[in-house]
């Protein structure tokens, strides 16, 4: 190569080299140097900042969470991408499905974080995850309609293991009054009707359970069924004698109930199940679930990326090998496990390694989704770098974390480069 051509090459490379030096080499070098200095930056601290990586509780939690991220996030995203890519090959609307799955990649991390902060909201009226979870739960274990109900003044009821029981025994031919208060009018069951006093029956124990409250000062009679008061429709009543339930009944829409003669001499109990607080779902962003929840949002975003790359690998796969395996008697699962996956191994490696590098740098999702009360439990190294450098004013420790992250990424990048060179040689 002549000297002139070398000069031309250098001139063409110079802008790229300048940018690379300014944006990559210099920041890395400065971070390495800064990691050996104290908080003010004018005193040499040696390896003190690096010791903090293994002694600081926040950094140790972040390191533990990063390990969880590296193990689970790429694995789950790659596995889902593989499943989606294989299945959509066989359906007519596969392209539309791939478009829908890949669409989250067009959303910024900030927007995805805001979306999933709402999805994981504790209130089932706001959070989609808890709305679904509560709906499924209430299908099999319906919530109580009277969680706030309790006896009022001069009530014949007293507390009993989360429920209430009559102070005195009841007898046949008696009409028992079980007045309660505490349920807002708009919280009463839709089936509730105006309460009526139960008629007596010589061979049975009858009674009424109702909302003993009428709006307005001085309106209504305490312990008496008034025209505007509603019955506790669906409430369970038990007759308890010598610690055993001898009979039970459900309150009708008008608040009345009737028990057989077995209830004679028993005490009436309103069990705790009548007053159970409504199920409020799962605390997705609580200390124990916040990291898996955020990983779920990451998988939602990146499974489409994995699917597209794997689908490209599938498109270039020799079909005669798959057909040969089927001709030899292999079923679809055996073809998938013994032929498809081994042939896709290079593509799967690319996807997994790319996602590993990506999750080591994850910051946005954790910062946005995790509430302040759980952010310490969801902490990761990139977030801890930000907190140490900007919130706590410890740039030396922040630089040490940055260098440590670089050291973690280098082996993964080296593996990827080595694998790519092997592919080129083939």
């Amino acid at each position: 190569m002549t000297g002139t051509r070398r000069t031309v090459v250098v001139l063409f490379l110079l802008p790229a080299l300048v940018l690379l030096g300014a944006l990559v080499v210099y920041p890395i070098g400065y971070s390495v140097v800064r990691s050996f200095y104290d908080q003010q930056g004018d005193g040499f601290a040696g390896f003190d900042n690096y010791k903090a990586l293994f002694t600081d509780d926040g950094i140790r939690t972040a390191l533990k969470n990063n390990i969880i991220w590296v193990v689970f996030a790429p694995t789950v995203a790659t596995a889902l991408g593989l499943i989606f890519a294989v299945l959509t090959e066989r359906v007519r609307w596969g392209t539309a499905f791939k478009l829908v799955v890949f669409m989250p990649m067009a959303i910024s991390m900030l927007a995805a974080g805001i979306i999933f902060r709402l999805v994981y909201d504790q209130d089932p009226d706001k959070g989609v995850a808890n709305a679904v979870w509560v709906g499924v739960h209430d299908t099999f274990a319906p919530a109580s309609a009277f969680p706030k109900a309790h006896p009022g003044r001069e009530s014949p009821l007293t507390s009993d293991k989360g429920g209430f029981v009559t102070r005195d025994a009841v007898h046949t031919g008696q009409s028992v009054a079980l007045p309660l208060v505490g349920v807002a009018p708009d919280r009463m069951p839709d089936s509730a009707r105006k309460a009526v006093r139960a008629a007596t029956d010589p061979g049975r124990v009858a009674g009424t359970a109702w909302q003993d409250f009428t709006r307005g000062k001085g309106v209504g009679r305490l312990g008496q069924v008034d025209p505007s008061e509603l019955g506790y429709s669906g409430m369970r009543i038990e007759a308890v004698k010598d610690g055993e339930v001898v009979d039970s009944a459900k309150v009708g829409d008008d608040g009345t109930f009737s028990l057989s003669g077995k209830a004679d001499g028993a005490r009436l109990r309103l069990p705790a199940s009548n007053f159970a607080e409504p199920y409020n779902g799962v605390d997705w962003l609580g200390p124990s679930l916040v990291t898996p929840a955020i990983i779920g949002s990451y998988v939602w975003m990146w499974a489409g990326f994995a699917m597209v790359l794997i689908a490209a690998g599938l498109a270039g796969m020799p079909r005669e090998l798959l057909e040969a395996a089927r001709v030899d008697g292999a079923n679809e699962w055996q073809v998938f496990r013994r032929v498809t996956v081994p042939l896709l191994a290079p593509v799967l490696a690319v996807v997994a390694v790319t996602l590993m590098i990506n999750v080591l740098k994850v910051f946005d999702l954790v910062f946005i989704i995790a509430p302040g009360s759980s952010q310490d439990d969801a902490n990761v190294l990139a977030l801890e770098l930000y907190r140490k450098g900007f919130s706590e004013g410890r740039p030396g420790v922040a630089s040490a974390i940055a260098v440590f992250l670089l050291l973690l990424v280098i082996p993964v990048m080296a593996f990827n480069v080595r694998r790519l060179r092997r592919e080129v040689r083939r």
Side-chain angles (χ1 to χ4, degrees), residues 6 8 45 63 77 85 97 103 106 122 128 152 166 243 275 310 350 388:
R6 286 196 186 95
V8 172
L63 183 58
F97 180 81
M103 198 176 295
Q122 180 69 44
V128 175
T166 55
F275 312 103
I310 295 170
V350 169
K388 286 287 187 287

Side-chain angles (χ1 to χ4, degrees), residues 248-403:
S248 65
K250 276 195 173 182
V251 175
D253 294 347
D254 60 359
T256 60
F257 62 89
S258 179
L259 298 163
S260 67
K262 296 177 183 178
D264 187 55
R267 298 169 71 189
L268 300 188
R269 180 172 68 188
L270 282 62
S273 58
N274 289 320
F275 312 103
E277 290 287 340
Y279 182 65
N280 204 36
V282 177
D283 188 8
W284 298 104
L285 299 181
S288 58
L289 289 179
V290 63
T291 295
I294 299 172
I295 290 176
S297 66
Y298 178 88
V299 169
W300 176 78
M301 289 193 69
W302 287 87
F305 167 81
M307 178 195 65
V308 168
L309 291 189
I310 295 170
L314 274 173
M317 185 182 297
R319 299 294 162 173
E320 57 270 17
L321 295 177
L322 303 179
E323 295 303 325
R326 293 188 181 103
V327 170
D328 288 341
N331 58 37
E332 290 302 321
W333 169 246
Q334 290 172 326
V335 171
F336 173 75
R337 186 165 58 93
R338 296 179 181 273
V339 181
T340 303
V341 172
L343 289 175
L344 285 175
V347 179
L348 296 176
V350 169
V351 173
V353 169
T354 303
L355 294 179
M356 281 182 186
I357 296 172
N358 188 268
V359 298
L360 283 172
K361 306 180 296 179
V362 70
F363 165 80
D364 320 57
L365 288 176
V366 181
F367 183 72
I368 296 164
I369 295 177
S373 57
S374 299
Q375 201 169 84
D376 288 342
D377 300 283
N379 203 7
V380 290
L381 287 173
L383 176 59
E384 187 64 14
L385 186 157
Y386 168 81
R387 294 170 71 175
K388 286 287 187 287
F390 297 98
S391 299
E392 299 179 21
R394 299 171 65 184
V397 176
S399 299
I401 296 174
V403 174

